[in-house]
């Protein structure tokens, strides 16, 4: 996904860009598909740097961490990076260390590829344990049935015989 900065004569610039299914493909286990989505960016320019901040949202198809079934959700995230030439970045690198994300400008046509920061922002928007619903019952650890769809007759109560001597005590 590329942005052409030479299209804009003055800054700041606010822009909206959409992306389709399959256009952004972050590598993340459990993320089955992504898109369509929308990016809103505000771009401020200093002498040699373009400060880009905004938000993005996308439909996503994830795998539930409890029942392992696919489900649809909306991912929403902030995005923040600096675009500059590689030469400018190299000159800055020796002066100060910061934790900003940099995207390098292709100086031949003044374009920046924003695919990587968009992918990173969307990965950060995915929950550590995505759930199809808060009430998801998961799968049976004994027979593997999806407990949201059917009940099973498995006895999941674990009985450790080492505690049998204490079972008759009533807190006293």
């Amino acid at each position: 996904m590329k942005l052409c900065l030479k299209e804009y004569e003055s800054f700041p610039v606010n822009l909206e860009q959409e992306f389709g299914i399959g256009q952004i493909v972050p590598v993340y286990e459990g993320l089955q598909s992504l898109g369509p989505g929308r990016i809103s960016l505000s771009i401020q320019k200093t002498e040699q740097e373009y400060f880009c901040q905004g938000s993005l949202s996308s439909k996503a198809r994830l795998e539930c961490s409890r029942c392992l079934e696919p489900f649809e959700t909306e991912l929403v995230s902030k995005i923040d990076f600096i675009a500059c030439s590689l030469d400018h970045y190299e000159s800055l690198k020796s002066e100060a260390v910061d934790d900003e994300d940099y995207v390098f400008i292709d100086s031949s046509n003044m374009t920046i590829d924003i695919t990587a920061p968009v992918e990173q922002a969307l990965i950060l928007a995915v929950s550590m344990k995505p759930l199809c619903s808060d009430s998801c019952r998961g799968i049976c650890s004994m027979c593997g049935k999806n407990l949201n769809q059917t009940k099973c007759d498995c006895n999941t109560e674990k009985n450790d015989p080492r505690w049998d001597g204490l079972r008759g005590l009533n807190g006293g």
Side-chain angles (χ1 to χ4, degrees):
M1 174 176 272
K2 296 190 181 209
L3 294 177
C4 183
L5 296 173
K6 71 180 177 182
E7 292 178 17
Y8 308 104
E9 293 180 17
S10 64
F11 290 87
V13 170
N14 293 313
L15 62 94
E16 301 275 330
Q17 187 164 348
E18 294 183 359
F19 60 90
I21 297 172
Q23 195 172 354
I24 301 291
V25 187
V27 178
Y28 188 79
E29 188 175 330
L31 180 60
Q32 298 178 347
S33 68
L34 192 63
R38 177 180 218 61
I39 301 168
S40 298
L41 272 182
S42 173
I43 304 173
Q44 304 278 337
K45 182 180 188 272
T46 63
E47 290 180 19
Q48 297 182 44
E49 295 179 327
Y50 297 84
F51 295 88
C52 306
Q53 294 181 350
S55 61
L56 54 99
S57 63
S58 177
K59 294 198 180 294
R61 187 169 179 84
L62 298 169
E63 180 180 89
C64 179
S65 61
R66 284 188 192 156
C67 68
L68 307 179
E69 292 292 323
F71 70 99
E72 302 283 330
T73 190
E74 182 84 13
L75 299 178
V76 177
S77 184
K78 300 281 184 202
I79 187 167
D80 183 13
F81 61 91
I82 299 172
C84 66
S85 69
L86 184 57
D87 291 337
H88 179 69
Y89 176 76
E90 292 295 330
S91 70
L92 286 177
K93 200 166 83 169
S94 62
E95 294 174 14
V97 177
D98 62 35
D99 59 354
E100 295 290 335
D101 290 327
Y102 283 87
V103 175
F104 301 115
I105 299 171
D106 180 352
S107 55
S108 65
N109 57 11
M110 289 299 291
T111 60
I112 55 174
D113 185 350
I114 64 169
T115 304
V118 168
E119 287 177 346
Q120 291 169 4
L122 289 170
I123 287 172
L124 290 173
V126 176
S127 170
M128 288 180 69
K129 292 194 174 245
L131 298 177
C132 59
S133 74
D134 289 339
S135 60
C136 178
R137 297 182 62 210
I139 57 175
C140 175
S141 61
M142 307 290 276
C143 68
K145 289 182 181 176
N146 184 338
L147 300 175
N148 296 316
Q149 299 170 352
T150 184
K151 289 187 176 189
C152 69
D153 297 326
C154 298
N155 181 7
T156 57
E157 185 180 316
K158 295 185 181 191
N159 192 4
D160 188 340
R162 295 176 293 181
W163 295 100
D164 285 347
L166 298 175
R167 291 201 199 289
L169 299 176
N170 286 341

